[in-house]
C-alpha cells in the first residue's frame, strides 16, 4: 500500500519572523527534498497570500491542490532526480485567539484546514469583519476558539480545527500560562468536532498518552515551520492516495488503515520541554521545580514551567502508559544536524549544506535516508559514520539535553566528550 508524509502546519513569507523563501515554490522544492507528499499552504487568511494561492495553484484530487505546471517546472529544476515526486497542497491557516473568558486572559492558537479555496474565501470574508487579517499571516483576533469553530462549521462542515501545539506555555489550549485543563473546558458543546490535536515540538505522543482526556482524539505532529528547510521536522504518515476527506476521516476515526502515526523530533529538543530560567542558566525537571516552589533557586523569580511540567500536572496515568488505539510514532534527528555533529560544525555551514545535497542526490529524500534506507547502503558508499548515526537514531541510542525557557535542547548520537 502507498504511504506518504504530510506536514499540515506551516507559515508563508507573510507571517512574522519567517523566511522570504516561504513561498509556494520554496515549499514545493523542499517537500521533494524532504520526501513529503502533502504540504499545508499556511496563512490562507492573509489576503495577499490568498491571492498567491489563487493564481499559483490548481486542483489536484479531492480537497488538494498542486502548483501550476509552469511554476512547478521552475522549482523542479532545483531538485535532484532522485528526489523528484508529486507534491500536493492542503489549504491551511492559523489563528491566534487572545480573549477573556471566566475572568482570565486566554491565548490559544488554532490550526485550520479547508477543503477548497472557495470555502476558505468565505471564512476570510467572515473573519475580515471581526478583526485585522491583513497585518500578519497568523492574525491575532479577539475570537474565542469555540466561536471560531462554530463559524468554520457554519461556513463549511468539511472544515477542520485542530488545536495547535497544545502544550506551549503561552498561546495554546492546554498551556500553563493562559490555557484550559481539557478540550471540553475550551470548546464546550462543540468538543465532539475536535478530533485531532497537535502535540507541538516540545512533546511527543507518549507524553500525551498520560492524559486520558486525549484518548478520543488523534495526535498529529507538524513542523510549524518559519523556514522551508524545517519542513517535516515533525510530520504525519498516511496510507493510500492523498485525499482530503480520507485523511480527515481517518484522523476522526483514528483508523490504522489510513493513519500511520507521527514522525517526531525528540521532545527534549523543543525550547519549552523542561522548566527553567534562562537568565540565571537554571534548568530543572518538574519534580525539582516543585521542590523549589516553582521559583528560580538563584534569583527567586518565577520559573518558566515547561511542557513536561504541565503534563505531569494534568496526567492521570504514569509515564510509559499506552492507551488503546494509540497510533505509532517514530523519532528523527534532522539530517543536517546529524551531519553537523559528524563534521563538528554548524548544521547551516557550507560544508554540511554541500554534504546534505550530495547525499540527497545519491540516496533520495531526507526522510527516506533517516527512516528507511538500510545503514549498510550508506556504509557501502563510504558514509560509515553517518550509517552508525542513523543506526543509533533508529535504536533510540541518543544523548538528550532538554530545552527550557525558549532555549532549544540538543540531541546527539555520539557522546560530546568521546570520539564521534
Amino acid at each position: 500500500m502507498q504511504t506518504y508524509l504530510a506536514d499540515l502546519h506551516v507559515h508563508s513569507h507573510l507571517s512574522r519572523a519567517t523566511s522570504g523563501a516561504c513561498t509556494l515554490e520554496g515549499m514545493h522544492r523542499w517537500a521533494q527534498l524532504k520526501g513529503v507528499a502533502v504540504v499545508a499552504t499556511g496563512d490562507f487568511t492573509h489576503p495577499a497570500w490568498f491571492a498567491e494561492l489563487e493564481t499559483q495553484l490548481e486542483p489536484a484530487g479531492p480537497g488538494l491542490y498542486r502548483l501550476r505546471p509552469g511554476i512547478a517546472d521552475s522549482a523542479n529544476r532545483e531538485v535532484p532526480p532522485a528526489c523528484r515526486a508529486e507534491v500536493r497542497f492542503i489549504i491551511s491557516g492559523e489563528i491566534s485567539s487572545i480573549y477573556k473568558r471566566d475572568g482570565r486572559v486566554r491565548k490559544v492558537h488554532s490550526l485550520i484546514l479547508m477543503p477548497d479555496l472557495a470555502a476558505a474565501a468565505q471564512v476570510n470574508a467572515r473573519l475580515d469583519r471581526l478583526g485585522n487579517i491583513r497585518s500578519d499571516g497568523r492574525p491575532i483576533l479577539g475570537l474565542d476558539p469555540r466561536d471560531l469553530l462554530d463559524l468554520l462549521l457554519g461556513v463549511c462542515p468539511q472544515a477542520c480545527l485542530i488545536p495547535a501545539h497544545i502544550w506551549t506555555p503561552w498561546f495554546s489550549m492546554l498551556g500553563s500560562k493562559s490555557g484550559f485543563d481539557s478540550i471540553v473546558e475550551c470548546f464546550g458543546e462543540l468538543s465532539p468536532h475536535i478530533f485531532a490535536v497537535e502535540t507541538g515540538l516540545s512533546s511527543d505522543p507518549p507524553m500525551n498518552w498520560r492524559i486520558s482526556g486525549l484518548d478520543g482524539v488523534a495526535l498529529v505532529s507538524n513542523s510549524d515551520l518559519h523556514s522551508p528547510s524545517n519542513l517535516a521536522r515533525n510530520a504525519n504518515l498516511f496510507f493510500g492516495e492523498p485525499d482530503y476527506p480520507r485523511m480527515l476521516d481517518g484522523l476522526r476515526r483514528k483508523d490504522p488503515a489510513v493513519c500511520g502515526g507521527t514522525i517526531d523530533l525528540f521532545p527534549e529538543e523543543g525550547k519549552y520541554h523542561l522548566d527553567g530560567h534562562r537568565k540565571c542558566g537554571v534548568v530543572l525537571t518538574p519534580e525539582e521545580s516543585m521542590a523549589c516552589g516553582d521559583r528560580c533557586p538563584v534569583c527567586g523569580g518565577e520559573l518558566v514551567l515547561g511542557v513536561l511540567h504541565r503534563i505531569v500536572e494534568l496526567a492521570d496515568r504514569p509515564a510509559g502508559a499506552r492507551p488503546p488505539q494509540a497510533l505509532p510514532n517514530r523519532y528523527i534527528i534532522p539530517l543536517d544536524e546529524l551531519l553537523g555533529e559528524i563534521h563538528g560544525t554548524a548544521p547551516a555551514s557550507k560544508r554540511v549544506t554541500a554534504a546534505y545535497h550530495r547525499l540527497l542526490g545519491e540516496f533520495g529524500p531526507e526522510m527516506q535516508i533517516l527512516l528507511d534506507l538500510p545503514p549498510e547502503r550508506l556504509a557501502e558508499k563510504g558514509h560509515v559514520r553517518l550509517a552508525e548515526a542513523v543506526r543509533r537514531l533508529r535504536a533510540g541510542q541518543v544523548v538528550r539535553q532538554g530545552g527550557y525557557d525558549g532555549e532549544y535542547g540538543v540531541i546527539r548520537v555520539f557522546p560530546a566528550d568521546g570520539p564521534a
Side-chain angles (χ1 to χ4, degrees):
M1 180 182 292
Q2 178 181 346
T3 64
Y4 64 93
L5 292 176
D7 189 340
L8 305 176
H9 188 175
V10 309
H11 288 286
S12 75
H13 63 94
L14 291 168
S15 275
R16 292 176 188 171
T18 55
S19 165
C22 288
T23 63
L24 290 171
E25 284 185 73
M27 235 78 83
H28 176 88
R29 172 176 174 257
W30 274 100
Q32 293 176 82
L33 296 178
K34 296 285 185 174
V36 176
V38 177
V39 185
T41 62
D43 300 352
F44 78 79
T45 54
H46 195 289
W49 183 243
F50 189 82
E52 293 187 41
L53 302 184
E54 287 190 304
T55 57
Q56 296 184 34
L57 296 179
E58 64 179 18
L64 301 175
Y65 291 80
R66 63 177 165 235
L67 276 183
R68 294 184 186 277
I71 304 170
D73 292 343
S74 174
N76 289 341
R77 284 195 285 270
E78 299 182 55
V79 178
C83 295
R84 289 183 187 171
E86 179 81 10
V87 177
R88 295 177 177 89
F89 288 90
I90 187 169
I91 307 303
S92 77
E94 184 181 12
I95 302 294
S96 175
S97 295
I98 302 181
Y99 62 105
K100 272 193 171 184
R101 196 205 289 181
D102 300 329
R104 289 183 57 193
V105 174
R106 311 285 184 165
K107 300 178 181 180
V108 178
H109 285 192
S110 301
L111 171 64
I112 301 170
L113 303 177
M114 300 297 298
D116 55 59
L117 286 169
Q122 294 181 56
V123 169
N124 286 352
R126 294 283 298 276
L127 294 179
D128 195 25
R129 296 197 289 268
L130 298 174
N132 184 0
I133 61 172
R134 293 170 169 77
S135 62
D136 191 3
R138 183 185 59 202
I140 299 172
L141 301 175
L143 182 62
D144 189 312
R146 180 177 56 194
D147 298 331
L148 172 61
L149 177 57
D150 190 44
L151 182 155
L152 292 171
L153 296 175
V155 169
C156 177
Q158 291 75 44
C160 170
L161 187 151
I162 297 175
H165 41 72
I166 59 170
W167 297 105
T168 303
W170 298 274
F171 308 111
S172 73
M173 180 182 70
L174 299 178
S176 61
K177 296 294 185 181
S178 58
F180 299 88
D181 288 346
S182 68
I183 295 173
V184 172
E185 188 179 338
C186 183
F187 288 96
E189 72 282 359
L190 295 180
S191 297
H193 295 282
I194 301 297
F195 54 82
V197 298
E198 184 182 62
T199 57
L201 299 180
S202 294
S203 85
D204 62 1
M207 292 168 64
N208 287 265
W209 294 340
R210 298 186 63 182
I211 314 295
S212 64
L214 298 178
D215 287 356
V217 297
L219 302 175
V220 298
S221 294
N222 302 298
S223 68
D224 193 5
L225 69 79
H226 286 217
S227 171
S229 61
N230 285 329
L231 189 70
R233 56 185 176 181
N234 278 9
N236 307 282
L237 180 67
F238 289 94
F239 302 120
E241 185 71 18
D243 174 320
Y244 178 96
R246 177 177 165 81
M247 291 167 67
L248 266 59
D249 185 60
L251 290 172
R252 184 179 286 107
R253 295 185 292 110
K254 296 175 69 173
D255 184 353
V258 178
C259 304
T262 58
I263 310 300
D264 301 278
L265 295 176
F266 290 94
E268 291 85 356
E269 191 165 0
K271 59 184 179 180
Y272 293 108
H273 182 72
L274 293 174
D275 306 338
H277 189 199
R278 182 165 41 166
K279 185 177 179 181
C280 293
V282 170
V283 53
L284 302 170
T285 65
E287 293 75 17
E288 291 168 336
S289 297
M290 293 172 186
C292 296
D294 295 338
R295 312 296 295 188
C296 176
V298 175
C299 71
E302 186 178 348
L303 291 169
V304 174
L305 303 180
V307 165
L308 182 57
H309 191 119
R310 180 64 169 155
I311 287 177
V312 168
E313 284 183 343
L314 297 183
D316 53 3
R317 291 189 180 117
R322 184 187 180 99
Q325 289 190 299
L327 296 171
N329 79 300
R330 297 178 68 184
Y331 296 102
I332 63 165
I333 298 172
L335 182 57
D336 60 350
E337 293 183 20
L338 288 179
L339 293 171
E341 183 177 352
I342 288 169
H343 293 295
T345 187
S349 68
K350 290 182 179 179
R351 184 178 182 185
V352 165
T353 299
Y356 178 90
H357 288 288
R358 283 198 300 271
L359 285 164
L360 267 58
E362 189 172 4
F363 297 105
E366 177 179 347
M367 292 299 136
Q368 180 175 304
I369 294 172
L370 295 177
L371 297 170
D372 300 318
L373 187 72
E376 296 77 15
R377 282 198 54 201
L378 290 167
E380 288 167 2
K381 297 293 185 177
H383 308 289
V384 177
R385 295 170 78 195
L386 179 60
E388 176 60 13
V390 168
R391 187 198 68 76
R392 293 187 184 196
L393 165 63
R394 294 179 188 173
Q397 297 172 347
V398 300
V399 180
R400 311 183 192 197
Q401 178 182 325
Y404 69 101
D405 193 12
E407 189 81 19
Y408 281 106
V410 178
I411 310 295
R412 300 179 60 87
V413 290
F414 301 110
D417 56 353

